[in-house]
Amino acid sequence: MKVAVEGCCHGELDKIYESISYLENKEDVKVDLLLCCGDFQAVRNEGDMKCMAVPAKYRHMQTFYKYYSGEKKAPVLTIFIGGNHEASNHLQELPYGGWVAPNIYYLGYAGVVRFKGVRIGGLSGIFKSHDYKKGHFEFPPYGPETLRSVYHIRNIDVFKLKQIKMPIDIFMTHDWPRGIYHYGNTNQLLRQKKFLRQEVESGTLGSPAAADLLDHLQPTYWFSAHLHVKFAAMMQHEAKNNAAPKITKFLSLDKCLPHRDFLQIVEVADRPGSSEHLEYDPEWLAILKATDNLQKPSCNFWNPPQDNGLHPRWDFSASEEAMMEVVSDLSGDLCIPENFSLTVPAYDPSRPQPNAHPAYSTNPQTTELCATLSLTDIYILAGQSGQAYGKEGTTGATEEEEDEDSTGSVDEPSEYPTDTSGLSSSYNPDEITIEDEWEEVEDEGVECAEVKGTDAVVPEGQVGSQDSDRDSSPQRETANRLILPPPCTAPESEAPLRSLRPLSLPPPSASLSQGSSEEEEGFTSARVPKRTSGETTQGLASHTGGTPQIKRRNQSIYTAVEDEESEG
């Protein structure tokens, strides 16, 4: 299936869908799924805008409200995670995920779903150690502090994700896993983002919690955004349980602007005979049930249970019986119900209400899921026990309080060994001036779809041994005996994952011919909007066998693993 991956959305849904539509029409293909890696900005009305951590002068309605109100419908199934510029009062209604508009699904604080047999997981927010061990205590209306802490990830969600035993195909985070830059072209990254050098050299760039998850989950793909730069990497994990080492293909993308690498299309092998509908994942739901009593809507620190003699239970992974119980709770139907409903009035351009206060309410989707699976609505708990946290101070952020959470690298928590955060003092000017760049785009009068072609795709290795070994552990063998929709592991007989054939977008002014030589060589690459950096596009390198099909420009990124093996 064709999967479109988008970096930071920032509310530009119309332009993103227009770009996808252009590619579909030009190349006669059909995109099956869109994944957005945070800063989605599901703003329903003026009140929601006041719940985003951006200066007041940068609050724009954008286009999401049209999809929320029903004026438009997303032309392709869209799944997204939260970032650090969100309408937090809206997303908090859906702690376990849910529809924010027809055909647009939010994964929640953390979540795993299935689509066409492919397991897709994600973790919302960004890492900040001073909030990492707290519960989800925030509740609107937010104060200056909770307006920011509400989108900081919590160790309870990471703990849940670390209970996963069955393999994951795709995983999304907004900020990067710490250290991932070692597996790509670091020099090129620092040429594009000079302000990151200090954090890269001190080893503090990115999220240590995400790095921990990367080591545990070892998904086939990992997609991120946040730093507003395109960066590809390939990480080979250490072998576990005598199985062949797995490889994760990492890609971070830019934001939706002309000349930016904000969109990538890859082809992922789906599972024949799988449902065409978005589905719940039984292993994940069983983990949610098992960990339900661990959730505390408190700002006090919480440490996850460990096998240290102090906790009666520390392993909350899903057993066969627990997963079958979940399936029974759902009456055997894993399809996620299309039960979206409006919970607050949608923005009406003919009747603007700039002085509207943020609205907040429970969401029927969460209520229904909690009743079905006997889960706790932690949003209600937060409202009952922690409203006072959000009422201290005014709602919203001033320009002087602009977000400094660009890389998530200060004050590492105690469970992560090396604390080098004191060496880091960088900030992301691109993150801070994001809306200024929107204003520049308006002056240029250029649409996102009218952009140059580009290079670099996520490398596509063969499925072969690395995927066939995923179910070698006893836990996974047990899980695969369940009478459930088939897991996402790919047998050796399947063809290797391939990238979409060349797609050339029109230039903003003069025509381009740089893609012809690539097409003649017969290799596939997705063309996405290109930032005007003065770089020249080179041809594709020819590869055979199990070597990923890549472009020469990224050769150093994807051969790093092979070089290390040869040296050893």
Side-chain angles (χ1 to χ4, degrees):
M1 70 176 175
K2 307 297 188 300
V3 179
V5 185
E6 199 277 332
C8 294
C9 179
H10 293 297
E12 298 283 7
L13 280 180
D14 279 357
K15 294 180 180 179
I16 293 169
Y17 291 137
E18 287 168 9
S19 297
I20 292 175
S21 177
Y22 173 83
L23 298 178
E24 290 180 325
N25 294 333
K26 185 177 186 300
E27 295 297 328
D28 191 26
V29 297
K30 178 62 178 175
V31 171
D32 300 285
L33 177 67
L34 170 64
L35 301 178
C36 295
C37 300
D39 285 355
F40 189 80
Q41 296 184 2
V43 177
R44 301 164 294 184
N45 53 37
E46 294 96 334
D48 283 359
M49 281 197 293
K50 298 175 182 178
C51 295
M52 290 198 303
V54 296
K57 69 175 183 179
Y58 291 144
R59 293 174 183 147
H60 302 291
M61 186 56 62
Q62 302 299 12
T63 57
F64 170 78
Y65 76 91
K66 299 178 183 178
Y67 300 87
Y68 175 76
S69 67
E71 177 183 343
K72 292 185 175 182
K73 182 177 180 180
V76 57
L77 175 62
T78 301
I79 300 175
F80 75 97
I81 57 170
N84 58 309
H85 295 303
E86 303 290 359
S88 297
N89 62 323
H90 184 190
L91 299 189
Q92 274 202 292
E93 295 179 5
L94 300 165
Y96 304 113
W99 304 103
V100 297
N103 223 28
I104 303 178
Y105 191 85
Y106 168 55
L107 278 179
Y109 290 130
V112 180
V113 294
R114 293 187 180 200
F115 182 62
K116 295 190 175 182
V118 176
R119 295 186 83 198
I120 302 167
L123 175 67
S124 293
I126 63 172
F127 176 83
K128 281 293 178 180
S129 67
H130 54 270
D131 291 318
Y132 182 67
K133 291 186 176 182
K134 299 177 183 178
H136 292 288
F137 67 91
E138 297 87 356
F139 194 83
Y142 307 112
E145 293 186 2
T146 54
L147 184 66
R148 302 187 188 289
S149 67
V150 67
Y151 56 73
H152 294 160
I153 66 171
R154 306 299 157 87
N155 61 352
I156 177 63
D157 300 311
V158 174
F159 180 76
K160 293 175 185 178
L161 289 166
K162 291 181 70 175
Q163 306 308 308
I164 293 175
K165 301 299 183 184
M166 299 175 68
I168 296 288
D169 289 299
I170 298 171
F171 199 79
M172 296 186 289
T173 55
H174 188 57
D175 48 1
W176 298 12
R178 180 165 294 185
I180 193 65
Y181 43 82
H182 290 309
Y183 300 88
N185 192 331
T186 310
N187 290 332
Q188 179 183 339
L189 171 66
L190 296 180
R191 284 195 297 268
Q192 292 180 268
K193 298 290 182 180
K194 296 179 176 62
F195 62 89
L196 296 178
R197 179 172 297 277
Q198 184 178 15
E199 286 181 297
V200 168
E201 293 177 349
S202 64
T204 58
L205 176 63
S207 165
D212 203 10
L213 284 175
L214 176 59
D215 177 68
H216 174 78
L217 297 174
Q218 300 185 0
T220 304
Y221 291 96
W222 188 293
F223 299 127
S224 297
H226 192 42
L227 295 183
H228 296 164
V229 63
K230 183 175 184 179
F231 180 78
M234 177 178 279
M235 179 179 182
Q236 179 169 316
H237 302 276
E238 294 183 4
K240 293 183 178 181
N241 301 321
N242 297 320
K246 297 178 182 178
I247 293 176
T248 294
K249 286 155 279 196
F250 173 83
L251 179 68
S252 178
L253 292 168
D254 209 329
K255 54 186 173 181
C256 180
L257 281 177
H259 319 310
R260 295 296 189 106
D261 297 320
F262 72 90
L263 185 68
Q264 186 82 37
I265 300 178
V266 296
E267 184 167 338
V268 178
D270 54 18
R271 306 298 299 156
S274 298
S275 173
E276 298 288 326
H277 300 280
L278 190 64
E279 294 183 304
Y280 289 121
D281 184 85
E283 183 188 24
W284 177 246
L285 294 187
I287 291 170
L288 290 182
K289 290 191 67 172
T291 57
D292 184 68
N293 64 346
L294 299 180
Q295 301 182 121
K296 307 295 181 185
S298 169
C299 61
N300 297 324
F301 281 5
W302 176 82
N303 292 310
Q306 302 176 41
D307 184 8
N308 56 9
L310 300 178
H311 302 90
R313 181 179 182 182
W314 55 87
D315 183 359
F316 292 83
S317 57
S319 65
E320 178 179 353
E321 292 76 15
M323 286 187 274
M324 292 306 300
E325 180 182 346
V326 165
V327 175
S328 177
D329 291 340
L330 297 172
S331 302
D333 185 6
L334 293 176
C335 291
I336 298 177
E338 297 180 2
N339 54 353
F340 166 77
S341 62
L342 276 69
T343 53
V344 301
Y347 170 70
D348 184 353
S350 65
R351 300 178 57 188
Q353 301 181 41
N355 298 321
H357 295 289
Y360 44 96
S361 63
T362 56
N363 195 297
Q365 297 178 71
T366 303
T367 302
E368 180 179 343
L369 182 66
C370 289
T372 302
L373 299 178
S374 300
L375 299 176
T376 301
D377 188 340
I378 55 179
Y379 182 59
I380 292 180
L381 282 186
Q384 293 173 344
S385 61
Q387 287 193 37
Y389 291 117
K391 293 182 178 179
E392 298 173 0
T394 58
T395 300
T398 65
E399 184 173 2
E400 291 74 24
E401 295 168 340
E402 172 59 316
D403 202 335
E404 297 176 356
D405 292 334
S406 61
T407 57
S409 60
V410 300
D411 299 333
E412 209 167 302
S414 58
E415 60 261 43
Y416 299 110
T418 306
D419 187 357
T420 56
S421 58
L423 302 175
S424 175
S425 60
S426 67
Y427 67 97
N428 188 342
D430 198 30
E431 175 81 6
I432 292 175
T433 60
I434 173 174
E435 289 80 5
D436 290 335
E437 295 188 72
W438 284 344
E439 294 170 3
E440 292 173 6
V441 174
E442 293 172 359
D443 294 338
E444 294 173 3
V446 181
E447 295 296 329
C448 276
E450 299 177 347
V451 288
K452 295 183 180 180
T454 190
D455 46 0
V457 299
V458 179
E460 304 299 341
Q462 289 185 335
V463 175
S465 61
Q466 71 187 53
D467 282 3
S468 63
D469 290 327
R470 285 179 173 181
D471 290 331
S472 58
S473 66
Q475 297 96 325
R476 289 170 185 164
E477 291 175 358
T478 299
N480 285 340
R481 291 200 300 267
L482 297 173
I483 306 175
L484 298 172
C488 67
T489 52
E492 295 182 2
S493 60
E494 284 189 9
L497 305 181
R498 295 186 59 83
S499 180
L500 193 60
R501 56 181 174 164
L503 302 175
S504 299
L505 295 178
S509 54
S511 61
L512 297 176
S513 59
Q514 62 184 27
S516 58
S517 62
E518 300 169 0
E519 296 171 3
E520 289 172 1
E521 292 191 40
F523 293 95
T524 58
S525 64
R527 292 194 176 277
V528 295
K530 166 75 172 171
R531 67 178 298 147
T532 54
S533 59
E535 298 174 352
T536 58
T537 302
Q538 302 180 27
L540 287 167
S542 176
H543 297 278
T544 58
T547 306
Q549 298 177 1
I550 57 178
K551 291 200 170 186
R552 294 191 186 102
R553 179 172 177 268
N554 283 335
Q555 182 71 37
S556 61
I557 298 179
Y558 303 122
T559 57
V561 174
E562 298 173 3
D563 294 341
E564 291 174 2
E565 291 175 345
S566 62
E567 292 174 1

